[in-house]
Amino acid sequence: MRIIVVGGEGTIGRAVVAALSSGRHEIITAGRTSGALRVDIESADSVQQMFRQVGPFDALVSAAGNARFGSLETMTEDELVRGVHGKLLGQIRLVLLGRSYVREGGSFTLTSGYLLNDPIPGTVTFAVANGGIEGFVRASALEFGQRIRINAVSPGMAEDSAEHFGHLNPGRLPTPMRTIGAAYARGVEGFRTGEIIPAW
């Protein structure tokens, strides 16, 4: 398969690439500042340019998109919108523009996260974005049918990020990178659609 991994050189993206790099796939990494191709998922023009460069593909994994940490006490509407714009709308944009390039029977695998189901203080924008992604996946699967599969992976606190985020998650065990990578491989190489795949 020809697979695009957006955010392929980030913490989650590297686990995805490792899980899919056994010689049976052609992997194309893309990112804002790293990867084989440059793409800003907050820009429709940038996303469209990436798809024009790649051409037809079999699967796309999105391990990209940022939300914003911040207290609800002081959050403004504009800050909330900016906070979810990258992670939620950016990933939806990949699907909306990529559906014209994905081959019949191809797939999209997006990223939500544990902060929807088990939030911590300061993560309202993450919870909103993750909930939007999961709703989009479930509803889109009904319309795509088996022509295009779409799933999302919900990673826990990644082992490789625990040093930075562990103090914000007391009592939470880090999720091994191999477990996270395997969840994305299930989305790409499996048969289900409309599924939220936990990797906790």
Side-chain angles (χ1 to χ4, degrees), residues 27 88 123 187:
I27 308 242
L88 174 56
T123 60

Side-chain angles (χ1 to χ4, degrees), residues 76-135:
T76 66
E77 183 178 339
D78 285 346
E79 287 171 336
L80 177 63
V81 169
R82 287 199 305 272
V84 301
H85 189 268
K87 181 160 189 181
L88 174 56
L89 297 182
Q91 293 194 80
I92 291 174
R93 185 173 290 115
L94 289 169
V95 177
L96 295 180
L97 296 178
R99 63 191 167 181
S100 299
Y101 293 87
V102 68
R103 293 186 176 113
E104 185 83 10
S107 70
F108 293 92
T109 304
L110 308 184
T111 298
S112 62
Y114 72 95
L115 292 172
L116 169 62
N117 300 297
D118 194 8
I120 58 176
T123 60
V124 167
T125 56
F126 288 86
V128 170
N130 292 346
I133 289 162
E134 295 192 7

Side-chain angles (χ1 to χ4, degrees), residues 3-10 13 17 27-41 46 50-51 53-54 60-64 94:
I3 304 170
I4 305 169
V5 181
V6 180
E9 295 196 8
V17 170
I27 308 242
I28 302 164
T29 57
R32 190 192 297 263
T33 59
S34 61
L37 299 175
R38 294 289 176 271
V39 65
D40 177 0
I41 67 172
S46 179
M50 177 191 73
F51 285 129
Q53 287 179 267
V54 173
L60 180 142
V61 173
S62 173
L94 289 169

Side-chain angles (χ1 to χ4, degrees), residues 1-199:
M1 283 194 284
R2 196 162 197 240
I3 304 170
I4 305 169
V5 181
V6 180
E9 295 196 8
T11 301
I12 299 293
R14 289 193 302 271
V16 175
V17 170
L20 295 171
S21 293
S22 62
R24 62 191 186 277
H25 303 304
E26 176 191 358
I27 308 242
I28 302 164
T29 57
R32 190 192 297 263
T33 59
S34 61
L37 299 175
R38 294 289 176 271
V39 65
D40 177 0
I41 67 172
E42 296 187 34
S43 163
D45 288 343
S46 179
V47 171
Q48 190 68 262
Q49 176 62 24
M50 177 191 73
F51 285 129
R52 288 193 193 105
Q53 287 179 267
V54 173
F57 64 92
D58 299 292
L60 180 142
V61 173
S62 173
N66 294 314
R68 292 166 59 95
F69 281 100
S71 169
L72 183 63
E73 295 267 344
T74 58
M75 183 181 295
T76 66
E77 183 178 339
D78 285 346
E79 287 171 336
L80 177 63
V81 169
R82 287 199 305 272
V84 301
H85 189 268
K87 181 160 189 181
L88 174 56
L89 297 182
Q91 293 194 80
I92 291 174
R93 185 173 290 115
L94 289 169
V95 177
L96 295 180
L97 296 178
R99 63 191 167 181
S100 299
Y101 293 87
V102 68
R103 293 186 176 113
E104 185 83 10
S107 70
F108 293 92
T109 304
L110 308 184
T111 298
S112 62
Y114 72 95
L115 292 172
L116 169 62
N117 300 297
D118 194 8
I120 58 176
T123 60
V124 167
T125 56
F126 288 86
V128 170
N130 292 346
I133 289 162
E134 295 192 7
F136 176 75
V137 162
R138 291 187 178 102
S140 298
L142 294 175
E143 301 203 32
F144 285 147
Q146 288 298 318
R147 184 177 66 83
I148 299 172
R149 293 186 306 105
I150 183 167
N151 298 289
V153 171
S154 177
M157 181 179 65
E159 189 174 56
D160 286 1
S161 299
E163 182 178 344
H164 300 290
F165 298 109
H167 69 286
L168 299 172
N169 290 270
R172 190 186 307 280
L173 295 175
T175 304
M177 301 313 296
R178 185 177 177 188
T179 299
I180 292 174
Y184 285 91
R186 178 180 171 187
V188 171
E189 299 176 320
F191 306 98
R192 301 287 294 277
T193 189
E195 184 173 353
I196 311 304
I197 304 167

